[in-house]
Every structure is written in structure tokens, then in C-alpha cells.
Amino acid sequence: MILRFIFRYLYKFILRPFLFLFPAEGAHQIGSFFLKYRGAFFSGASFDSANCPFKLNQYSLENQRVLSRLSGPLGMAAGFDKNGEMLAGLFATGFDFVEVGTVTPKPQLGNSKPRLIRLRDQKAIVNKMGFNNQGLDLVRSRVLEFKTKFPKLVVGVNLGKNKTTPNHMAHEDYENMIKGFWGIGDYFVLNISSPNTPGLRDLHGMESLKLLLDKVISCREQQFLNFKKEEGKLEPEPELELEHALYQYGGQPIRPPIYLKISPDLREKDFMDVIDLASEMGIDGFVLTNTSIQHGQYQSFGGGLSGAPLKKISQSLVKTAYDHLKNKASKGENTAHSSQELISEKKPFIIGVGGIFHEKDVQDYLESGATLIQLYTGFVYEGPELIEKIHRSISESNLSAKR
């Protein structure tokens, strides 16, 4: 607690002014050093899922398992810790869960620099990183090491395809990632919405999306069947102990949930089509939204906009998706199902992300239908103090996701 207090004010009055003297990507690398140092003192003792604010019986079993491990709804969005190097530091700073990545099967350098700029007057960031990451094998080893020490802490994995993989073969990359992180990731996110990999957003198209989801859901089902065979053994292999700890709930084996991260730049009809198709094919929830290519005078820079300007559109899409799925449920349309139970019989699961800078922003997202929320740009500008304010606000007002 003392270290968290010191780190909060160190960031606000010393570290942030210092970091903002550097180009954005260099500042991120320096900041990651401090978070790694902060993580060296992390014990995991401050996380108590007994204080879980969620009514678990509202959700599918897969999502119940994830939520039952959380002490709150606040997560770090993908993109901040691409390689799983800052997990301990981010949890020590106060996040309830962390999403690593985006990770691709093979390492890749990403796009050329400069590829990350701050828009300080807008409290925003524009990035065109291009899925730079160290690849499945190395990131997997780091996440495995962390989860072995702290199996109850929730770590999601954001999955992407390599730039050189053609779209008609994209499903192979995502399948390999599911297999690679199986037994380690608490949940998986299919990232088809980054604007920084050429052609990636074309996977929102109905035919491409149907192929991708069919292959990925089938892959998970096969992995799950293999897991159930091992789970039935009286003495499972030692290397499978973590898998058994993660993928059980209420005494029964449970599939890890798969969520779909969607672009905020889709036309309304296309957005609704994606929501419907994904729900029908077995997606367990949605991450709304990714960055936007609509960023005014910086359009020529390319890339995606995150931060305060994104809040209005992302929150609106959260509400649209939530109301749409609930409306289908009220009509008794079984067009939305998870891998094990009908989403139409349960509450839609949505992670809201985009432009969260204040406690009120969290309340807005939760009241719009988000189950969980994630920070990225807000953390860059406001630092650890924002996390503390959000947790205090949730505790004092008993905020929880929309009933």
C-alpha cells in the first residue's frame, strides 16, 4: 500500500513530466522499466475475489469463471504490455486484470518509426505500431511463469495474425495462438480491428468472419475435448496442473471464453451484422472498441486514435450492442449462444474500452451495458491515481455492470 502511494505521486509530479519530454514510444519503454521494477515487489496479497461485485448467475459459465476471480472490473487494455513483461507491475499498480498482446505466432517488428504520437491537447494518442511483438513462444513463456506464481489473477491474451499471413489463411494464425496459450490464458480476444495491419479489418466481412470464427471455435472445442480426457485422469500430468486450475468452475471443466474486438469505424448495419454473426457462432462476448482511423488533422499520419475523443463512440457502441442482444433475448430469438449456454438467456458480456479518464467515464460505460472496462491512454495521461480514484468510486457507490 505504501509503495502504491509513493508510485502514484512519483508518477504525477516527477515521472510523467519527465516521460513527456521524450517521444511517445521512447517514453513507453522508460515507463515499462519502472513498472517492471514495481513488479519486483508484487506479492499478489491485495487481490481478494471475495469482494467480487458481479452477480455471477447472470452470465454464461465461461464468463462466470473469469469474473469469479476478479476483485473489480478495471483492466489494462491490450497494446500496453505487448510481450507480457509488465504483468506483475500492472497488477501491483492496481489493475484487476491485464490483457497482454497483441501477440502473433511469429515475432515481428511492426511498422517503421515514428509510429506513436501524443495529442496532448486532446488527451489522445495516435499509434500505427503494427502488432510489433516478440512472438508466441517468448510471450507464452513469460505469461506461463507469471500464471504459475499467481494462477488466480486474470490474464487475457489478445491474438492477431502476422502481417505476412494472407486473410484466407488468417484462421491458422489464430488457431495456433489458441493452442499455444491454452491452459495459460484466462480468456482470448480475437483482434480483427487494428487499423495498422493491412487488410486486417477486412476480416469483419461476413464470409471472412464466418470462416475465421468457425475455425477458431472448432479449435477451442477440440482443445477442450482433449482437456476433458486429461481431466478425467486420477493423476493428470504435472505440466497440466495450471490448465486444470484455470479451466474449471463449480467442479466441472469449462472452456476459456473467446471475445471479439471490433472496430469503431464500421457502419451501423455492418456493426450489427458482426455482433449477430459472432454471437450465433459461439463468441462469448465483445471488446468495444479498438482505435479509430478518424482523427482529423492527423489523418495523414495514419494509424488509430485512442483516448478521450474515442469515448463517445465507444460508449455508444457498447449500449447499441447491449440493447440489441437484450432485445433479441426478450423476443426469445435464440440467435446468440456461447460455447455452452445461450447468451440470449444470460447477460451480454462486453468489455468497454476507449477514453476513460474519470470515475464518471466508468459509470457511463457500466450503465451502458459494459461488464468490465479497460484503460490504456487514460493511464498514460493520469497514471496510477486514476486507478485509485476508480476503485474508490466503485467501492463508495457500489457501481456494477448494468442490471
Side-chain angles (χ1 to χ4, degrees):
M1 184 62 69
I2 294 175
L3 280 174
R4 187 177 294 182
F5 177 84
I6 293 173
F7 191 67
R8 176 183 23 146
Y9 285 98
L10 174 68
Y11 185 87
K12 184 175 182 179
F13 296 109
I14 299 176
L15 187 55
R16 182 178 63 187
F18 171 72
L19 290 175
F20 277 31
L21 295 174
F22 295 87
E25 188 168 353
H28 183 83
Q29 293 170 350
I30 297 171
S32 69
F33 170 81
F34 283 93
L35 281 168
K36 291 175 190 176
Y37 177 79
R38 175 71 182 90
F41 299 92
F42 179 63
S43 67
S46 62
F47 288 79
D48 183 8
S49 60
N51 297 323
C52 178
F54 310 103
K55 290 186 176 180
L56 297 181
N57 61 1
Q58 294 180 319
Y59 300 93
S60 67
L61 291 178
E62 288 79 12
N63 289 327
Q64 286 183 43
R65 182 195 61 79
V66 170
L67 294 174
S68 69
R69 298 172 186 268
L70 296 177
S71 57
L74 179 61
M76 169 55 80
F80 192 91
D81 187 8
K82 291 176 176 292
N83 297 309
E85 299 174 295
M86 296 176 265
L87 285 167
L90 290 169
F91 278 106
T93 305
F95 286 100
D96 300 306
F97 66 102
V98 176
E99 189 174 308
V100 300
T102 298
V103 189
T104 56
K106 300 176 183 178
Q108 59 182 35
L109 296 175
N111 296 322
S112 59
K113 300 178 182 180
R115 54 189 181 179
L116 188 67
I117 58 172
R118 304 183 200 93
L119 310 183
R120 296 180 63 172
D121 58 328
Q122 300 181 45
K123 288 193 171 181
I125 289 174
V126 176
N127 92 81
K128 54 177 182 180
M129 302 298 289
F131 287 172
N132 56 306
N133 74 101
Q134 296 173 348
L136 166 62
D137 291 342
L138 187 52
V139 179
R140 181 189 185 280
S141 67
R142 293 197 186 105
V143 178
L144 175 60
E145 180 181 7
F146 180 84
K147 289 293 292 184
T148 301
K149 294 179 182 176
F150 306 106
K152 293 184 178 181
L153 297 184
V154 174
V155 177
V157 187
N158 190 287
L159 313 177
K161 78 174 188 71
N162 281 113
K163 184 177 182 179
T164 56
T165 302
N167 276 6
H168 69 276
M169 298 176 61
H171 62 86
E172 296 182 4
D173 279 8
Y174 290 95
E175 289 176 76
N176 288 334
M177 300 295 287
I178 294 286
K179 294 174 184 176
F181 282 102
W182 186 269
I184 301 173
D186 286 279
Y187 68 85
F188 303 117
V189 176
L190 307 181
N191 189 345
I192 62 169
S193 49
S194 169
N196 302 318
T197 296
L200 183 70
R201 286 189 169 187
D202 293 341
L203 293 176
H204 286 86
M206 290 298 98
E207 290 303 316
S208 297
L209 184 59
K210 185 175 182 179
L211 173 64
L212 172 65
L213 296 183
D214 178 61
K215 294 291 187 179
V216 169
I217 297 298
S218 296
C219 175
R220 176 179 64 175
E221 192 62 24
Q222 185 58 56
Q223 292 292 115
F224 179 67
L225 292 175
N226 294 339
F227 166 58
K228 286 183 71 175
K229 292 178 183 178
E230 290 294 330
E231 195 268 343
K233 295 181 179 179
L234 293 177
E235 295 184 5
E237 298 296 327
E239 62 266 24
L240 298 178
E241 289 181 3
L242 178 60
E243 180 179 352
H244 283 252
L246 290 187
Y247 297 163
Q248 289 196 34
Y249 183 75
Q252 60 180 305
I254 295 293
R255 300 162 180 82
I258 298 177
Y259 308 135
L260 184 67
K261 191 165 188 176
I262 301 177
S263 165
D265 299 316
L266 293 175
R267 295 178 301 175
E268 182 177 358
K269 181 184 182 302
D270 294 335
F271 177 79
M272 303 308 293
D273 287 345
V274 169
I275 292 288
D276 282 339
L277 178 62
S279 299
E280 290 167 8
M281 297 199 67
I283 284 294
D284 298 286
F286 302 93
V287 181
L288 304 176
T289 62
N290 214 318
T291 58
S292 173
I293 60 173
Q294 305 300 323
H295 40 81
Q297 74 223 56
Y298 296 94
Q299 207 76 22
S300 61
F301 181 78
L305 175 75
S306 65
L310 197 60
K311 192 234 175 178
K312 184 177 180 180
I313 181 63
S314 291
Q315 182 194 331
S316 173
L317 291 175
V318 167
K319 187 176 190 308
T320 297
Y322 182 90
D323 290 346
H324 178 68
L325 292 172
K326 290 297 290 184
N327 183 54
K328 281 182 171 289
S330 68
K331 293 180 179 179
E333 298 178 19
N334 292 339
T335 57
H337 64 279
S338 71
S339 58
Q340 190 152 320
E341 297 189 46
L342 292 175
I343 288 181
S344 59
E345 296 175 357
K346 295 289 183 180
K347 180 178 174 183
F349 188 96
I350 299 172
I351 300 177
V353 55
I356 296 174
F357 281 74
H358 307 283
E359 306 93 302
K360 178 65 165 55
D361 297 329
V362 174
Q363 182 177 2
D364 290 343
Y365 267 101
L366 295 179
E367 290 180 350
S368 295
T371 308
L372 306 175
I373 52 99
Q374 291 179 328
L375 303 180
Y376 184 134
T377 306
F379 180 67
V380 171
Y381 280 91
E382 304 299 325
E385 186 175 15
L386 176 59
I387 300 174
E388 183 172 324
K389 287 180 177 179
I390 290 172
H391 280 147
R392 187 187 308 120
S393 173
I394 292 172
S395 177
E396 291 175 353
S397 60
N398 196 28
L399 280 176
S400 62
K402 186 175 181 179
R403 297 292 186 259

